[in-house]
Amino acid sequence: MELKSKIRIIEDFPEKGISFKDITTLLKDGKAFKDVIDRIVEDLKGKEIDYIAGPEARGFVIGSAVAYALGVGFIPIRKPGKLPAEVVSHKYELEYGSNTLELHLDAIENGKKVVVVDDLLATGGTILSVINLIESIGGEVVALEFLIELESLKGRKKLQDYHINSLVKYNI
């Protein structure tokens, strides 16, 4: 299936000059959504995985479906103030601002293997923050899975020490 045709492009969102890749049009297509999950699960075959982690919010949608398909737990990475127990935090820069992510301090046991799943690899800032959080509490990141990669922003270069799979690539 040609996944790119299922993704809507919205220019100048959320700011002028940004070409937003809207995956809601893909997610509402059951066959396309299933294809995304199946392709990610296929890429992860043979890897030892204890958890899938996904950053808020689109990482929740894709990541939890992958976790379900693999029969492993899902770890939410949240925005500040959303997790009720003790957390670790990490601030990072985006292509159009900054943000902070948090993870429960007891979310991942020492040495457990984690795959990070998100909708988009752009500059790599969000995913580096997620990796930092996971590794700071003893988790081991074994793979990074993305629906979309914006190749011209070179996020992959920052993440070269990890297995990276992206299903749709744009060179903007």
Side-chain angles (χ1 to χ4, degrees), residues 105-123:
L105 190 56
D106 63 355
I108 301 165
E109 300 84 10
N110 195 37
K112 294 294 183 177
K113 301 192 180 326
V114 182
V115 173
V116 178
V117 177
D118 202 4
D119 68 319
L120 179 71
L121 172 57
T123 64

Side-chain angles (χ1 to χ4, degrees), residues 6-148:
K6 305 291 183 182
I7 299 167
R8 176 173 40 195
I9 308 298
I10 300 175
E11 298 299 336
D12 297 322
F13 181 84
E15 292 183 4
K16 188 164 180 60
I18 303 292
S19 178
F20 189 81
K21 310 308 184 253
D22 178 17
I23 66 167
T24 61
T25 49
L26 181 146
L27 295 174
K28 77 177 187 178
D29 181 323
K31 289 180 182 176
F33 185 37
K34 184 179 184 317
D35 189 45
V36 166
I37 303 310
D38 290 347
R39 288 187 198 191
I40 292 172
V41 168
E42 181 64 29
D43 185 63
L44 295 173
K45 281 196 174 162
K47 290 184 173 37
E48 186 181 332
I49 301 165
D50 297 301
Y51 298 111
I52 301 295
E56 191 168 336
R58 292 174 301 272
F60 287 11
V61 175
I62 299 168
S64 61
V66 171
Y68 175 82
L70 292 172
V72 300
F74 178 76
I75 307 294
I77 312 291
R78 306 272 338 242
K79 294 176 182 169
K82 301 292 185 181
L83 294 171
E86 189 176 358
V87 298
V88 290
S89 299
H90 191 263
K91 185 175 181 173
Y92 64 101
E93 297 302 314
L94 294 163
E95 50 273 34
Y96 47 85
S98 66
N99 208 343
T100 300
L101 290 174
E102 294 182 339
L103 171 66
H104 272 144
L105 190 56
D106 63 355
I108 301 165
E109 300 84 10
N110 195 37
K112 294 294 183 177
K113 301 192 180 326
V114 182
V115 173
V116 178
V117 177
D118 202 4
D119 68 319
L120 179 71
L121 172 57
T123 64
T126 300
I127 299 307
L128 279 173
S129 182
V130 170
I131 291 168
N132 178 283
L133 288 169
I134 292 167
E135 292 178 347
S136 75
I137 62 170
E140 178 188 343
V141 175
V142 296
L144 307 171
E145 298 282 338
F146 303 97
L147 171 54
I148 298 170

